[in-house]
Amino acid sequence: MDKTEEKNLSLYKDMAYKTIIADKAIDLGLYEEKVLKNGKVKNVKSKGVLRQKVIITFSRKMMKYQRAVRNRQIERSRKMIARNDPEEIKKGPNDVRRFMKKTAKTKSGEEAVVEYIIDEEKIREEEKYDGYYAVATNLDDPAKDILEVSHNRYKIEDCFRIMKTNFSGRPAFHWTEPRIKAHFLICYTALLVYRLLENKPGSP
């Protein structure tokens, strides 16, 4: 589907979501007495029910983006295989070598030859989840409001990044409580001023 065509624009700008009740039992860290069928009493862990829901979203735009990124990673994997470069296959979530697997071919009486090939099954498994995102919450707010807050989470992460890199929030070379508090207060104040200037009318 061509996203540049006017009739398809709405599909790439919109997002679908579904809410699923996903209550689950959790360990409360407490014990209670339970009478067994044979009459004996046994202490067992108490469990409570965590009321929550999972909001699953699908975005065609995100799906296209994830597949474009994966295709570039697969191409890098193919080049590594062509160079016989990979000495060890890593299984990191973003390592391009996750799309590669080792095979050993041998004929009767001959030493096995180790080769690397593209793991097509791994690619198909990842593609099933392209465009999907899930948020678990116990809030009673409307799903749209929760998703709006979740989608703005990057702003919070950006604030932490600015504090750590631009304002030297970390590492903190202080050992006494007053100095530690003063250090982070200065960082928070600098971040506040930065954001205020950023939103000042007429600012770029």
Side-chain angles (χ1 to χ4, degrees):
M1 185 180 293
D2 188 357
K3 66 179 181 180
T4 60
E5 293 186 15
E6 188 174 351
K7 64 179 182 179
N8 298 328
L9 289 178
S10 60
L11 295 175
Y12 285 89
K13 293 180 180 179
D14 201 6
M15 178 187 64
Y17 68 88
K18 182 176 182 179
T19 302
I20 300 174
I21 301 300
D23 297 344
K24 67 176 183 179
I26 59 172
D27 184 1
L28 299 176
L30 303 172
Y31 288 85
E32 60 182 348
E33 291 185 348
K34 181 178 181 181
V35 180
L36 305 178
K37 291 182 179 180
N38 58 10
K40 291 184 178 181
V41 178
K42 181 181 180 181
N43 285 332
V44 296
K45 286 185 177 181
S46 299
K47 290 188 176 181
V49 176
L50 174 63
R51 303 286 182 185
Q52 67 172 10
K53 59 186 176 184
V54 176
I55 306 171
I56 302 174
T57 66
F58 174 76
S59 168
R60 191 178 300 273
K61 183 178 180 180
M62 179 57 68
M63 179 188 72
K64 290 287 187 180
Y65 169 75
Q66 290 173 328
R67 292 189 174 176
V69 171
R70 185 182 300 106
N71 287 337
R72 290 197 295 268
Q73 292 175 336
I74 294 172
E75 185 59 31
R76 287 172 58 193
S77 297
R78 295 188 192 279
K79 290 180 180 178
M80 291 175 69
I81 292 174
R83 296 195 305 265
N84 293 321
D85 189 27
E87 294 294 332
E88 180 183 355
I89 296 181
K90 296 184 179 180
K91 297 297 183 180
N94 297 311
D95 196 314
V96 298
R97 282 172 282 192
R98 72 186 187 277
F99 298 123
M100 301 159 60
K101 66 179 180 180
K102 186 168 25 176
T103 62
K105 295 182 179 180
T106 181
K107 294 182 179 179
S108 178
E110 296 183 2
E111 186 178 352
V113 178
V114 176
E115 294 181 343
Y116 292 93
I117 62 173
I118 294 296
D119 192 342
E120 300 291 347
E121 185 177 348
K122 174 69 175 178
I123 296 172
R124 288 193 296 269
E125 180 65 22
E126 281 198 12
E127 283 183 343
K128 293 193 301 186
Y129 305 101
D130 287 347
Y132 289 95
Y133 184 75
V135 178
T137 179
N138 61 352
L139 299 175
D140 294 326
D141 301 66
K144 284 187 177 181
D145 295 344
I146 294 173
L147 291 175
E148 184 177 353
V149 173
S150 178
H151 290 160
N152 286 322
R153 188 177 56 186
Y154 75 95
K155 295 180 181 178
I156 300 173
E157 295 172 352
D158 186 51
C159 286
F160 281 113
R161 182 188 60 79
I162 291 173
M163 274 208 306
K164 286 189 291 185
T165 56
N166 299 72
F167 300 142
S168 302
R170 291 179 60 187
F173 300 102
H174 302 287
W175 291 268
T176 62
E177 184 176 342
R179 286 182 176 272
I180 293 172
K181 288 182 176 179
H183 173 79
F184 286 106
L185 180 60
I186 292 171
C187 292
Y188 284 128
T189 304
L191 177 64
L192 174 61
V193 173
Y194 176 84
R195 289 305 190 193
L196 289 174
L197 291 173
E198 192 177 46
N199 290 279
K200 183 179 179 181
S203 60

